């Protein structure tokens, strides 16, 4: 998901035209609001900002079960949401999947999502989907502070994420501010504590932290002793541990809990585009990935994200999601535009 933005935009626009022409002739017999999925062989297009390997597993299982083909266009959260907004009602996308909620909220605020079928929403607990019903959660990830256990004793860890802006943490922690992951965390802070408190924290962050490109890189820096701690999502640690563990052997994840902003659980989203000409198939795909089979793929896979739907437990290696004591945040209210404005003002972007 690291294509240059100009190159991605160009490719997307060319592909958009091609897909648009294809759609005109391939699915004429299927009404956009048909209650039945299209016949096998008709396909849908997914704009995917989720883990590529996870989405491929979902797609392979869905196509095997239904016969519906799926074409994927890969990008990151912000690139894909901006592309959809730019394309508007002419978007060739049928489904949009993300890693974080703010990109979903951006597309929703542009009025481009159809309502999600009630049967799908009923599979997902209310705390893992927006109050509006315009999209739904498909997975989740928890904010953690990974720290060097050889440098920091547990009693010296910050009680709150907000403490990282205090002078005693100057030069001791890292983050990847340019990524959608970190911006989602700041979005939650903005919703929970308001603009003034967020501005103040970002100002302290600018004074205290070290910038790295990517959460994995930030964690590696902690592991190598370059910095004492890093604010990232949990699955980077568990994913590395499941492989060789070479980038996390000196690292321990710390969960803030207590409804702290640093205990934010970011909901990965899925939604059906209002412009979809294959709405029934698109809704079927969303229902599949939030259903038992789709969530078991998530549980048993290598992404180490949390399963959140159809009463499927998450990977046994993870701290149970109920023990995270996450703050309550309506994903529909996360404001990516305001966050990037505040982060730019603070000199972080």
């Amino acid at each position: 998901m690291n294509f240059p933005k100009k190159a991605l935009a160009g490719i997307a626009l060319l592909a958009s035209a091609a897909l648009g022409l294809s759609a005109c002739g391939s699915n004429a017999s299927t009404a956009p609001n048909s209650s039945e999925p299209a016949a096998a062989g008709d396909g849908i297009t997914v704009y995917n900002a989720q883990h590529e390997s996870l989405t491929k597993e979902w797609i392979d299982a869905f196509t095997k079960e239904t016969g519906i083909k799926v074409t994927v266009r890969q990008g990151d959260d912000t690139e894909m949401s901006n592309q959809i907004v730019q394309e508007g009602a002419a978007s060739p996308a049928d489904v949009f999947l993300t890693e974080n909620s703010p990109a979903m909220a951006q597309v929703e605020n542009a009025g481009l999502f159809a309502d999600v079928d009630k049967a799908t929403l009923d599979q997902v607990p209310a705390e893992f989907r927006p109050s509006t019903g315009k999209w739904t959660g498909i997975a989740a990830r928890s904010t953690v502070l990974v720290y060097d256990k050889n440098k920091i004793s547990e009693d010296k860890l910050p009680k709150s994420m907000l403490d990282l802006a205090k002078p005693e943490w100057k030069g001791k922690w890292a983050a990847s501010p340019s990524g959608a992951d970190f911006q989602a965390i700041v979005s939650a802070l903005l919703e929970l504590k308001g603009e003034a408190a967020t501005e103040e924290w970002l100002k302290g962050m600018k004074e205290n932290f070290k910038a790295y490109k990517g959460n994995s890189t930030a964690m590696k820096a902690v592991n190598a002793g370059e910095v004492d701690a890093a604010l990232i999502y949990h699955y980077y640690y568990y994913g590395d541990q499941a492989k060789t563990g070479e980038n996390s052997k000196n690292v321990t994840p710390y969960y803030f809990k207590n409804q702290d902003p640093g205990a934010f659980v970011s909901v990965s989203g899925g939604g059906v585009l209002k412009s979809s000409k294959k709405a029934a198939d698109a809704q079927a795909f969303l229902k599949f990935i939030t259903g038992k089979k789709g969530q078991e793929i998530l549980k048993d896979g290598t992404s180490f994200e949390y399963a959140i739907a159809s009463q499927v437990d998450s990977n046994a290696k993870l701290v149970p999601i109920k023990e995270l004591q996450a703050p309550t945040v309506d994903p529909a209210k996360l404001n990516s535009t305001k966050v990037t404005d505040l982060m730019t003002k603070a000199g972080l972007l």
Side-chain angles (χ1 to χ4, degrees):
M1 293 191 286
N2 293 316
F3 298 113
K5 290 185 179 179
K6 289 184 178 178
L8 179 63
I11 293 168
L13 288 172
L14 289 171
S16 171
L19 284 165
L21 289 170
S22 174
C24 290
S26 65
N27 204 31
S29 63
T30 305
N33 295 314
S34 169
S35 61
E36 295 296 328
D42 290 336
I44 60 173
T45 296
V46 173
Y47 278 20
N48 184 52
Q50 246 296 340
H51 291 110
E52 193 167 358
S53 58
L54 170 61
T55 300
K56 184 180 185 304
E57 288 185 83
W58 275 336
I59 288 170
D60 288 347
F62 172 72
T63 299
K64 182 178 180 180
E65 181 168 298
T66 66
I68 299 169
K69 296 179 181 179
V70 180
T71 300
V72 180
R73 186 177 301 172
Q74 191 75 26
D76 70 24
D77 283 1
T78 304
E79 288 170 336
M80 290 281 92
S81 61
N82 285 340
Q83 187 68 34
I84 291 171
V85 171
Q86 179 185 8
E87 292 167 346
S91 178
D94 297 293
V95 176
F96 181 35
L97 304 181
T98 65
E99 292 188 351
N100 295 286
S101 299
M104 302 299 293
Q106 181 187 2
V107 175
E108 177 183 353
N109 292 340
L112 299 175
F113 278 136
D115 292 336
V116 175
D117 285 350
K118 185 178 183 301
T120 300
L121 293 178
D122 287 346
Q123 295 183 144
V124 185
E127 62 265 34
F128 300 121
R129 51 182 167 86
S131 57
T132 58
K134 289 293 185 182
W135 52 277
T136 185
I138 57 174
R141 58 273 301 283
S142 174
T143 311
V144 296
L145 186 75
V146 290
Y147 68 100
D148 186 338
K149 55 196 174 187
N150 298 317
K151 287 188 171 184
I152 306 177
S153 58
E154 193 170 343
D155 62 314
K156 299 298 183 182
L157 291 167
K159 302 301 181 187
S160 167
M161 184 184 84
L162 300 181
D163 292 341
L164 294 172
K166 293 181 177 179
E168 57 263 35
W169 280 91
K170 186 175 178 64
K172 293 183 178 180
W173 67 284
S176 178
S178 62
D181 288 355
F182 189 82
Q183 290 168 25
I185 295 170
V186 180
S187 293
L189 174 60
L190 177 63
E191 176 62 20
L192 291 165
K193 298 297 183 180
E195 186 171 337
T198 302
E199 273 196 288
E200 187 64 23
W201 188 77
L202 291 173
K203 181 180 177 182
M205 173 183 170
K206 174 66 175 175
E207 293 295 320
N208 287 357
F209 94 120
K210 294 183 178 180
Y212 288 87
K213 188 169 180 59
N215 288 292
S216 294
T217 308
M219 184 180 72
K220 289 177 185 178
V222 178
N223 190 67
E226 296 174 19
V227 67
D228 294 357
L231 194 65
I232 62 172
Y233 282 146
H234 77 280
Y235 65 87
Y236 291 95
Y237 169 80
Y238 289 98
D240 188 72
Q241 286 283 298
K243 296 175 183 176
T244 63
E246 62 183 321
N247 297 312
S248 58
K249 61 183 178 181
N250 298 321
V251 169
T252 299
Y254 170 63
Y255 294 82
F256 288 99
K257 299 186 177 183
N258 301 310
Q259 289 74 52
D260 188 78
F264 169 60
V265 170
S266 182
V267 174
S268 300
V272 173
L273 276 297
K274 192 183 290 185
S275 59
S276 175
K277 302 297 188 295
K278 304 165 189 174
D281 291 355
Q283 294 282 1
F285 179 67
L286 203 56
K287 184 179 181 182
F288 178 85
I289 64 176
T290 56
K292 190 171 186 293
K293 290 182 180 179
Q295 293 292 291
E296 285 178 344
I297 288 171
L298 176 59
K299 172 188 175 181
D300 298 332
T302 58
S303 73
F304 290 97
E305 291 184 86
Y306 282 98
I308 57 172
S310 297
Q311 300 181 326
V312 173
D313 291 332
S314 297
N315 190 298
K317 293 181 180 179
L318 304 181
V319 175
I321 199 164
K322 291 181 179 179
E323 295 180 14
L324 299 177
Q325 300 174 15
T328 300
V329 178
D330 183 349
K333 295 183 178 179
L334 299 182
N335 190 330
S336 59
T337 302
K338 186 63 177 178
V339 164
T340 54
D341 288 346
L342 291 174
M343 292 181 68
T344 300
K345 182 180 177 181
L348 295 165
L349 294 177

